Amino acid sequence: MKKLFLLPLLVFVLGKSSKAQNTDWRDQVTNQKSLHFNVGTQGVGAEFAYGVLPKMSLRLGANIIPVSADNVFSVSGFNSNSRMSANFSNIHLLADFIPFKSAPGFRLVGGAGYFINAKGKIAVQPKDNYTYGDIVLNNEEVGNLNMNVNWRGFAPYAGIGLLKPFSNRTFNVNLDLGTYFLKQPDANITASGILSGNTSQSAQLQQNLKGYRFLPVVQLNFNFRIQ
Amino acid sequence: MKNIKKLLFVLLLLPVACKKPTEDLKIVVDTNVIKYTALIHVTDASNPEVVLKSGTLSVSGDNADDIYEISGNKQLNISNGVIAIGPGPAAVPVAGKPETYSVQVKVPGYNTATKSITFTADQKQQVINVALSKTGSVNSNPVTQKPLPVYDAVGLNFTGTCSSRPDLVIRPSMYVFFRETGSGAAYQYLGYMESGNMTVTALEKGKTYDFQVTYDGQNYGTTQQINNESESLTINMGSAICNNF
C-alpha cells in the first residue's frame, strides 16, 4: 500500500523541481537535442537525444560492458578456480514519454536494443594436481570446463526515467531505471581432458539459464545540450 | 572490489527463476587416463570354467616402472582371473617405437607363466589369454575361448556412480565381462567400453545379464535385462575410482 503513495509523491517532487525553472515544459522537449554519456549496469555508452514531439523524445545510442570476476561460482566437489566473464554491447533506440504535465522530470521509457555481443562465460580450472591411483595428473590431463552463454539478438526495453530529459542549461544529469528482456540464451559446455564428458550436460545448463533474460539497467546519464 | 564485481553480476543478469546456473549439474569424469591397455585373462588350462580367485602380476622390461593397473595403481593384483594394465600418460607408445614388457603371472596352486606384451601406437586395447596349469602338471592344452553368440547389435551405455559422491558421474573405460543371470557360468569377455559406451552383438533381447568390470583387484557389477537397441546401465564404481576425485 505504501508503494501506491510513493509514485504520486515522486511525481509531485519531480514536477515541483521542474516547474521552478520552466514555465512551458513542452518547449523544453520539442526539437531539443543533446548528447548523453552514461554509466551504469550496462556499462558505459553514449546517446544522441532529440525531442520529436511535445511529450516525446528519441534516443539512439550504444553501450558496452566487459566485466570479469574470479571465483564468483564454485562447483561442488571440484577443487577449482573459476573465472566468470561477461561481454555485452548493444545499439538501442529508446523513446522517452512524459506522461504528466505536472511532472516533466518523470518519463516512461520504451524501446529496443540489438545486442551485437551478449556473452557470458564461466571457466573452471582445477586448482591442484589430481591423482588417478598412483598417477599424478597435470592440469592439461585433468582439463578444464567452460560454460558458455549467448543472448545475442533483439531485446525490448521498458523502464522509467527520473529527472528532465533536456535542460535550459548546457549540462544536466538524469537517471534511467529499467530492464532489457533478452532472448532465451543459447548455453553449452565445452570441456577437455578427463572432464570432456561434461559436454553432455549442456542441455541441463540451458535449462538452468532459460530464466536469465532480464538485464536490469540502472544508469546515470550526463547530458550536454546541443545548441 | 570483489564484492562490487559480484553485485555487478547479480544486477547484470537478474534471474527470474532464481535458479543457480550450476543447479543439478554434476562433475563428469572419464577414467581413460591409461589409454593403451592390455587385458590379461587368466584361466585354468584344464577347465576354463574354474574361476581363479586371486593372483599377482609382475612386470619387467626397460620401462616397467611406467606400467600401472587400469585404475592407476602400482599394485598388480589379479581378481577373478582378470587384470588390465598399461603404460601411464607419461609413457604412451609412439609410432614406430613399440614398448615390449614381460609379465609374470602367479596364482597360488598353479605354475607361474610368463608372457610378452607389446604396446604399439596403433593398438589401444588388446587381450592376452593365459592358461595356467596346476602345480605339478604340464599344460598341453592350447587356450581356447568359448565363442560369443551373435545377435542384433545392442548399445550399452554405462554410467558410473559413487555412493559417497552423488555429485560425481564416472564414464568408465574398462574391459567388460558378462554372463546370463542365474546361469552360474563363469564370466566371459564381452568387450571394451570407451567412456561408458560399447556396442555388442553377444546379447539376446529379452534375456537378463550380469555385467562385471574388474580393477584394483576388485569386481564391480550390475544386472540388466536387454529389451532395446540401446540400454543404459548404472554401475557403482567403488572407492578405488571414486576416491581419486
Side-chain angles (χ1 to χ4, degrees), chain B residues 46-57:
Chain B
S46 61
N47 183 5
E49 291 293 310
V50 173
V51 177
L52 303 181
K53 288 286 183 192
S54 61
T56 57
L57 198 78

Side-chain angles (χ1 to χ4, degrees), chain B residues 205-218:
Chain B
K205 281 186 182 165
K207 287 191 173 177
T208 303
Y209 294 93
D210 301 326
F211 298 92
Q212 185 172 272
V213 293
T214 301
Y215 50 86
D216 194 38
Q218 300 286 322

Side-chain angles (χ1 to χ4, degrees), chain A residues 134 194 201 208 212 215-216, chain B residues 11-12 19 23 26 72 74:
Chain A
D134 294 323
I194 62 170
Q201 298 191 94
N208 290 353
Y212 284 68
L215 178 64
Chain B
L11 282 172
L12 192 65
K19 197 168 188 177
E23 194 169 318
K26 299 190 175 190
K74 278 284 187 187

Side-chain angles (χ1 to χ4, degrees), chain A residues 30 36 38 45 55 69 83 85 90 110 114 125 148-149 175 222:
Chain A
T30 308
H36 299 184
N38 55 53
K55 289 183 175 183
R83 183 171 182 80
S85 60
N90 72 61
Y114 181 76
Q125 287 195 310
N148 310 298
V149 195
L175 188 68
F222 303 95

